[in-house]
Amino acid sequence: MKIVFMGTPDFAVPCLQMLIEEHHQIQAVFTQPDKPKGRGYQLAPPPVKEIALQNNLPVYQPLTLKDEAVQQQIAALAPDLIVVVAYGRILPKAVLDTPKFGCINVHGSLLPKYRGAGPIQWSVLNGEEKTGITTMYMGEGLDTGDMLLKRETPIGENETSGELFDRLCLLGAQTLKETILLIEQGKAVRTPQDEQEATYAPMLKKEMAKLDFTKTAQQVHNWVRGMNPWPTAYCMFNGKMLKIHASAKSGKQLKPGLARVEDNRLFIGCAEGAIEVLTLQMEGARRMDAKQFLCGHAGKIDGYQF
Protein backbone atom coordinates (compact mmCIF):
# COMPACT_ATOMS: atom_id res chain seq x y z
CA MET A 1 0.00 0.00 0.00
CA LYS A 2 1.25 3.48 -0.89
CA ILE A 3 1.43 5.49 2.33
CA VAL A 4 2.29 9.05 3.31
CA PHE A 5 3.28 9.14 6.99
CA MET A 6 2.82 12.22 9.17
CA GLY A 7 4.31 12.30 12.66
CA THR A 8 6.81 14.15 14.81
CA PRO A 9 7.77 12.94 18.35
CA ASP A 10 9.05 9.71 19.89
CA PHE A 11 5.49 8.39 20.17
CA ALA A 12 5.25 8.18 16.37
CA VAL A 13 8.56 6.37 15.81
CA PRO A 14 7.40 2.74 16.44
CA CYS A 15 4.54 3.25 13.98
CA LEU A 16 6.90 4.44 11.26
CA GLN A 17 9.32 1.60 12.01
CA MET A 18 6.48 -0.90 11.73
CA LEU A 19 5.47 0.46 8.31
CA ILE A 20 9.07 0.13 7.15
CA GLU A 21 9.39 -3.43 8.48
CA GLU A 22 6.10 -4.42 6.83
CA HIS A 23 7.49 -3.17 3.51
CA HIS A 24 4.75 -0.66 2.79
CA GLN A 25 5.55 1.81 0.03
CA ILE A 26 6.23 4.92 2.10
CA GLN A 27 6.23 7.71 -0.42
CA ALA A 28 7.02 10.54 1.96
CA VAL A 29 7.30 11.44 5.63
CA PHE A 30 5.89 14.76 6.82
CA THR A 31 7.09 16.09 10.15
CA GLN A 32 7.38 19.41 11.93
CA PRO A 33 10.38 21.71 11.30
CA ASP A 34 13.60 21.28 13.26
CA LYS A 35 13.57 23.18 16.56
CA PRO A 36 16.27 24.69 18.79
CA LYS A 37 17.28 22.32 21.57
CA GLY A 38 19.70 22.23 24.50
CA ARG A 39 21.81 24.97 26.01
CA GLY A 40 23.28 25.94 22.66
CA TYR A 41 19.84 26.17 21.04
CA GLN A 42 21.11 24.31 18.00
CA LEU A 43 18.48 23.08 15.56
CA ALA A 44 17.59 19.46 16.24
CA PRO A 45 15.51 17.21 13.97
CA PRO A 46 12.31 15.57 15.27
CA PRO A 47 12.70 11.85 16.14
CA VAL A 48 10.53 10.86 13.16
CA LYS A 49 12.83 12.73 10.76
CA GLU A 50 15.86 10.89 12.12
CA ILE A 51 14.27 7.49 11.49
CA ALA A 52 13.08 8.55 8.04
CA LEU A 53 16.53 9.72 6.97
CA GLN A 54 18.15 6.54 8.32
CA ASN A 55 15.85 4.62 5.98
CA ASN A 56 16.34 6.94 2.99
CA LEU A 57 12.75 8.16 3.00
CA PRO A 58 11.84 11.58 1.53
CA VAL A 59 11.17 14.07 4.33
CA TYR A 60 9.04 17.22 4.13
CA GLN A 61 8.75 19.79 6.92
CA PRO A 62 6.17 22.40 5.90
CA LEU A 63 5.11 25.07 8.36
CA THR A 64 1.49 24.40 7.47
CA LEU A 65 -0.58 22.04 5.37
CA LYS A 66 -2.91 24.90 4.44
CA ASP A 67 -0.45 26.01 1.75
CA GLU A 68 -1.86 25.07 -1.66
CA ALA A 69 1.59 24.17 -2.96
CA VAL A 70 2.00 21.66 -0.13
CA GLN A 71 -1.46 20.24 -0.81
CA GLN A 72 -0.58 19.81 -4.49
CA GLN A 73 2.65 18.12 -3.46
CA ILE A 74 0.71 15.58 -1.38
CA ALA A 75 -1.84 15.06 -4.16
CA ALA A 76 0.97 14.38 -6.65
CA LEU A 77 2.17 11.53 -4.42
CA ALA A 78 -1.26 9.89 -4.94
CA PRO A 79 -1.15 7.94 -1.66
CA ASP A 80 -3.61 5.13 -0.96
CA LEU A 81 -3.54 6.07 2.72
CA ILE A 82 -2.23 8.85 4.94
CA VAL A 83 -1.19 7.70 8.42
CA VAL A 84 -1.02 10.39 11.11
CA VAL A 85 0.60 9.80 14.51
CA ALA A 86 1.16 12.79 16.81
CA TYR A 87 1.95 15.06 13.87
CA GLY A 88 0.98 18.26 15.65
CA ARG A 89 -0.64 19.92 12.65
CA ILE A 90 -4.27 20.19 11.57
CA LEU A 91 -5.06 18.45 8.27
CA PRO A 92 -7.27 20.63 6.05
CA LYS A 93 -10.10 19.09 4.04
CA ALA A 94 -8.05 19.17 0.82
CA VAL A 95 -5.51 16.82 2.42
CA LEU A 96 -8.14 14.65 4.14
CA ASP A 97 -9.80 14.06 0.77
CA THR A 98 -6.59 13.14 -1.07
CA PRO A 99 -5.92 9.44 -0.30
CA LYS A 100 -8.00 6.63 -1.75
CA PHE A 101 -8.61 5.01 1.64
CA GLY A 102 -8.67 8.23 3.67
CA CYS A 103 -6.52 9.46 6.54
CA ILE A 104 -6.19 7.43 9.72
CA ASN A 105 -4.86 8.48 13.09
CA VAL A 106 -3.32 6.59 16.01
CA HIS A 107 -4.51 8.16 19.28
CA GLY A 108 -3.26 7.41 22.80
CA SER A 109 -6.59 6.94 24.57
CA LEU A 110 -9.83 5.01 24.41
CA LEU A 111 -11.86 7.50 22.43
CA PRO A 112 -14.06 9.44 22.82
CA LYS A 113 -12.38 9.98 26.21
CA TYR A 114 -9.30 12.20 26.23
CA ARG A 115 -9.36 13.83 22.84
CA GLY A 116 -6.55 16.32 22.36
CA ALA A 117 -2.80 16.61 22.83
CA GLY A 118 -2.33 15.16 26.34
CA PRO A 119 -4.36 11.92 26.55
CA ILE A 120 -1.66 9.81 28.19
CA GLN A 121 -0.83 12.32 30.92
CA TRP A 122 -4.47 13.06 31.76
CA SER A 123 -5.37 9.39 32.06
CA VAL A 124 -2.73 9.16 34.80
CA LEU A 125 -3.55 12.53 36.40
CA ASN A 126 -7.20 11.50 36.70
CA GLY A 127 -6.36 8.12 38.19
CA GLU A 128 -7.77 6.00 35.37
CA GLU A 129 -7.30 2.27 35.83
CA LYS A 130 -7.09 1.57 32.11
CA THR A 131 -6.38 3.32 28.84
CA GLY A 132 -5.33 2.22 25.38
CA ILE A 133 -4.99 3.02 21.71
CA THR A 134 -7.70 3.97 19.25
CA THR A 135 -7.21 4.04 15.50
CA MET A 136 -9.68 6.26 13.69
CA TYR A 137 -10.58 7.89 10.41
CA MET A 138 -9.74 11.56 10.54
CA GLY A 139 -12.33 14.27 10.11
CA GLU A 140 -12.12 18.04 10.32
CA GLY A 141 -12.82 18.05 14.07
CA LEU A 142 -10.29 17.34 16.85
CA ASP A 143 -10.13 13.54 17.24
CA THR A 144 -13.81 13.26 16.33
CA GLY A 145 -13.68 10.80 13.43
CA ASP A 146 -15.13 7.30 13.25
CA MET A 147 -13.17 4.71 15.21
CA LEU A 148 -11.61 1.60 13.70
CA LEU A 149 -9.86 -0.44 16.40
CA LYS A 150 -9.41 -0.11 20.17
CA ARG A 151 -6.83 -1.91 22.25
CA GLU A 152 -6.94 -1.61 26.05
CA THR A 153 -4.16 -1.81 28.63
CA PRO A 154 -4.27 -1.42 32.44
CA ILE A 155 -2.49 1.49 34.11
CA GLY A 156 -0.24 0.45 37.00
CA GLU A 157 -0.87 1.90 40.45
CA ASN A 158 2.55 3.60 40.42
CA GLU A 159 3.02 3.91 36.66
CA THR A 160 4.13 7.33 35.42
CA SER A 161 3.07 9.11 32.26
CA GLY A 162 6.51 8.43 30.81
CA GLU A 163 6.30 4.70 31.48
CA LEU A 164 2.79 4.51 30.05
CA PHE A 165 3.93 6.53 27.03
CA ASP A 166 6.62 3.93 26.30
CA ARG A 167 4.10 1.10 26.41
CA LEU A 168 1.40 2.84 24.41
CA CYS A 169 3.66 3.81 21.52
CA LEU A 170 4.41 0.10 21.01
CA LEU A 171 0.75 -0.83 21.36
CA GLY A 172 0.00 1.93 18.86
CA ALA A 173 2.27 0.36 16.26
CA GLN A 174 0.66 -3.06 16.70
CA THR A 175 -2.85 -1.59 16.51
CA LEU A 176 -1.91 0.36 13.37
CA LYS A 177 -0.59 -2.82 11.79
CA GLU A 178 -3.90 -4.60 12.43
CA THR A 179 -5.88 -1.59 11.21
CA ILE A 180 -4.06 -1.34 7.88
CA LEU A 181 -4.55 -5.06 7.29
CA LEU A 182 -8.31 -4.65 7.78
CA ILE A 183 -8.37 -1.72 5.36
CA GLU A 184 -6.43 -3.71 2.75
CA GLN A 185 -8.85 -6.62 3.13
CA GLY A 186 -11.89 -4.36 2.92
CA LYS A 187 -12.97 -5.45 6.40
CA ALA A 188 -12.55 -2.14 8.27
CA VAL A 189 -15.65 -1.24 10.29
CA ARG A 190 -16.37 2.39 11.15
CA THR A 191 -17.81 3.07 14.61
CA PRO A 192 -19.03 6.62 15.31
CA GLN A 193 -17.93 8.19 18.58
CA ASP A 194 -20.49 8.94 21.28
CA GLU A 195 -20.29 12.70 21.76
CA GLN A 196 -21.98 12.38 25.16
CA GLU A 197 -18.90 10.56 26.48
CA ALA A 198 -16.29 12.85 24.94
CA THR A 199 -13.69 14.50 27.18
CA TYR A 200 -10.75 16.74 26.32
CA ALA A 201 -7.09 16.36 27.33
CA PRO A 202 -5.16 19.62 26.77
CA MET A 203 -1.38 19.92 26.73
CA LEU A 204 0.26 20.24 30.13
CA LYS A 205 1.71 23.55 31.32
CA LYS A 206 4.48 24.12 33.84
CA GLU A 207 2.25 26.02 36.23
CA MET A 208 -0.06 22.99 36.54
CA ALA A 209 2.64 20.94 38.25
CA LYS A 210 2.39 22.51 41.73
CA LEU A 211 1.08 20.02 44.29
CA ASP A 212 -2.02 20.71 46.39
CA PHE A 213 -1.86 18.74 49.62
CA THR A 214 -5.47 19.58 50.48
CA LYS A 215 -6.37 16.92 47.92
CA THR A 216 -6.47 13.21 48.83
CA ALA A 217 -3.30 11.11 48.94
CA GLN A 218 -4.52 9.26 45.85
CA GLN A 219 -5.00 12.51 43.92
CA VAL A 220 -1.59 13.86 44.96
CA HIS A 221 0.07 10.56 44.04
CA ASN A 222 -1.69 10.65 40.66
CA TRP A 223 -0.38 14.18 40.11
CA VAL A 224 3.20 13.12 40.84
CA ARG A 225 2.87 10.21 38.38
CA GLY A 226 1.08 12.22 35.72
CA MET A 227 3.62 15.06 35.76
CA ASN A 228 6.55 12.66 35.33
CA PRO A 229 8.71 13.14 33.26
CA TRP A 230 7.46 16.65 32.40
CA PRO A 231 6.92 19.16 33.85
CA THR A 232 7.50 17.30 37.19
CA ALA A 233 5.34 17.85 40.27
CA TYR A 234 6.73 20.27 42.84
CA CYS A 235 6.13 22.18 46.06
CA MET A 236 8.00 25.09 47.65
CA PHE A 237 10.42 24.43 50.53
CA ASN A 238 12.03 27.41 52.27
CA GLY A 239 11.50 29.55 49.18
CA LYS A 240 12.98 27.04 46.76
CA MET A 241 11.35 24.62 44.34
CA LEU A 242 11.34 21.02 45.54
CA LYS A 243 10.53 18.64 42.69
CA ILE A 244 8.95 15.31 43.56
CA HIS A 245 9.69 12.71 40.88
CA ALA A 246 8.24 9.63 42.56
CA SER A 247 5.91 8.91 45.45
CA ALA A 248 3.82 6.18 47.03
CA LYS A 249 0.52 6.26 48.89
CA SER A 250 0.68 5.91 52.67
CA GLY A 251 -2.01 5.28 55.26
CA LYS A 252 -0.41 7.67 57.73
CA GLN A 253 -2.70 10.37 59.08
CA LEU A 254 -1.01 13.76 59.00
CA LYS A 255 -2.30 17.30 58.67
CA PRO A 256 -2.49 18.22 54.97
CA GLY A 257 0.87 19.61 53.88
CA LEU A 258 2.70 18.59 57.07
CA ALA A 259 6.04 16.85 56.49
CA ARG A 260 7.15 14.08 58.83
CA VAL A 261 10.45 12.17 58.88
CA GLU A 262 10.40 8.61 60.27
CA ASP A 263 13.13 5.98 59.91
CA ASN A 264 14.85 7.91 57.10
CA ARG A 265 11.56 8.13 55.20
CA LEU A 266 9.73 11.32 54.26
CA PHE A 267 5.95 11.61 54.43
CA ILE A 268 3.68 14.55 53.59
CA GLY A 269 0.08 14.68 54.81
CA CYS A 270 -2.88 14.97 52.46
CA ALA A 271 -6.65 15.30 52.90
CA GLU A 272 -7.00 11.53 53.23
CA GLY A 273 -3.82 9.72 54.23
CA ALA A 274 -0.38 10.84 53.11
CA ILE A 275 2.20 10.30 50.42
CA GLU A 276 5.69 8.97 50.92
CA VAL A 277 8.22 10.91 48.88
CA LEU A 278 10.57 8.44 47.17
CA THR A 279 12.60 10.54 44.72
CA LEU A 280 13.04 14.29 44.82
CA GLN A 281 15.22 17.14 43.66
CA MET A 282 15.97 20.42 45.39
CA GLU A 283 16.26 23.48 43.16
CA GLY A 284 19.84 23.71 41.89
CA ALA A 285 20.71 20.20 43.08
CA ARG A 286 20.75 16.74 41.55
CA ARG A 287 17.94 14.23 41.72
CA MET A 288 18.19 11.80 44.67
CA ASP A 289 16.19 9.35 46.74
CA ALA A 290 14.58 10.47 49.99
CA LYS A 291 17.19 8.83 52.23
CA GLN A 292 20.00 10.74 50.52
CA PHE A 293 18.04 13.98 50.75
CA LEU A 294 17.32 13.52 54.45
CA CYS A 295 21.02 13.16 55.26
CA GLY A 296 21.32 16.93 54.94
CA HIS A 297 17.74 18.13 55.34
CA ALA A 298 15.98 15.91 57.93
CA GLY A 299 16.04 18.52 60.69
CA LYS A 300 14.84 21.27 58.35
CA ILE A 301 11.96 19.41 56.72
CA ASP A 302 10.56 17.39 59.65
CA GLY A 303 7.53 19.32 60.81
CA TYR A 304 7.62 21.71 57.82
CA GLN A 305 4.21 22.88 56.66
CA PHE A 306 3.90 22.93 52.87
Side-chain angles (χ1 to χ4, degrees):
M1 183 174 282
K2 295 188 297 181
I3 292 175
V4 166
F5 184 84
M6 297 182 176
T8 300
D10 291 326
F11 186 80
V13 167
C15 287
L16 178 56
Q17 289 177 321
M18 180 279 295
L19 294 175
I20 294 168
E21 291 167 4
E22 290 296 307
H23 304 293
H24 287 287
Q25 188 179 337
I26 304 172
Q27 297 169 291
V29 171
F30 282 73
T31 189
Q32 290 199 35
D34 297 1
K35 292 183 178 179
K37 192 175 182 181
R39 293 183 178 180
Y41 288 97
Q42 293 185 333
L43 287 178
V48 161
K49 179 181 179 180
E50 293 181 329
I51 297 299
L53 293 179
Q54 288 170 17
N55 288 275
N56 299 313
L57 298 174
V59 174
Y60 300 93
Q61 296 176 278
L63 291 174
T64 176
L65 296 181
K66 295 178 182 179
D67 187 327
E68 286 189 14
V70 176
Q71 295 172 9
Q72 291 170 4
Q73 194 174 48
I74 295 171
L77 294 169
D80 296 318
L81 186 70
I82 291 179
V83 173
V84 182
V85 188
Y87 178 41
R89 291 279 188 267
I90 298 295
L91 272 63
K93 190 174 187 302
V95 175
L96 293 172
D97 292 343
T98 294
K100 176 182 177 182
F101 294 110
C103 301
I104 62 171
N105 177 245
V106 178
H107 188 74
S109 79
L110 299 174
L111 290 171
K113 293 186 72 172
Y114 300 115
R115 295 172 176 173
I120 298 173
Q121 297 95 322
W122 281 103
S123 65
V124 178
L125 290 169
N126 288 338
E128 299 285 359
E129 295 182 353
K130 67 178 181 180
T131 185
I133 291 290
T134 305
T135 53
M136 55 178 284
Y137 282 108
M138 298 182 69
E140 293 186 75
L142 180 64
D143 300 325
T144 58
D146 291 346
M147 300 177 293
L148 286 157
L149 287 182
K150 282 186 179 182
R151 293 292 180 263
E152 292 186 3
T153 185
I155 301 175
E157 181 180 355
N158 298 311
E159 191 168 23
T160 66
S161 289
E163 292 165 342
L164 182 57
F165 180 100
D166 291 342
R167 292 199 299 113
L168 284 181
C169 66
L170 298 178
L171 182 60
Q174 179 58 40
T175 310
L176 175 61
K177 180 179 178 180
E178 296 173 27
T179 300
I180 291 176
L181 183 60
L182 289 174
I183 292 172
E184 288 178 325
Q185 295 173 342
K187 296 179 180 179
V189 177
R190 305 178 74 121
T191 304
Q193 295 187 44
D194 185 348
E195 291 297 323
Q196 303 279 3
E197 296 181 3
T199 59
Y200 180 60
M203 289 181 66
L204 300 190
K205 298 179 180 179
K206 286 185 178 181
E207 55 267 28
M208 296 167 56
K210 189 172 183 180
L211 292 170
D212 180 0
F213 295 108
T214 65
K215 295 187 180 296
T216 67
Q218 181 66 67
Q219 289 172 317
V220 174
H221 178 54
N222 292 344
W223 216 251
V224 172
R225 298 188 299 128
M227 293 290 171
N228 182 330
W230 190 92
T232 309
Y234 75 94
C235 49
M236 300 304 295
F237 174 52
N238 286 334
K240 290 189 175 183
M241 182 182 288
L242 178 64
K243 292 184 176 181
I244 299 180
H245 293 276
S247 64
K249 287 187 300 177
S250 170
K252 286 187 177 296
Q253 297 300 319
L254 298 170
K255 179 183 175 183
L258 180 65
R260 182 67 69 213
V261 176
E262 295 181 14
D263 300 323
N264 281 323
R265 297 167 70 185
L266 174 59
F267 302 90
I268 302 177
C270 304
E272 295 175 14
I275 63 162
E276 180 179 359
V277 178
L278 302 178
T279 312
L280 67 170
Q281 184 176 8
M282 200 66 200
E283 186 177 328
R286 65 181 178 86
R287 180 172 171 168
M288 61 185 73
D289 62 37
K291 187 175 181 180
Q292 291 173 309
F293 175 81
L294 292 173
C295 286
H297 295 88
K300 298 176 185 177
I301 201 168
D302 187 33
Y304 188 86
Q305 182 66 45
F306 286 100

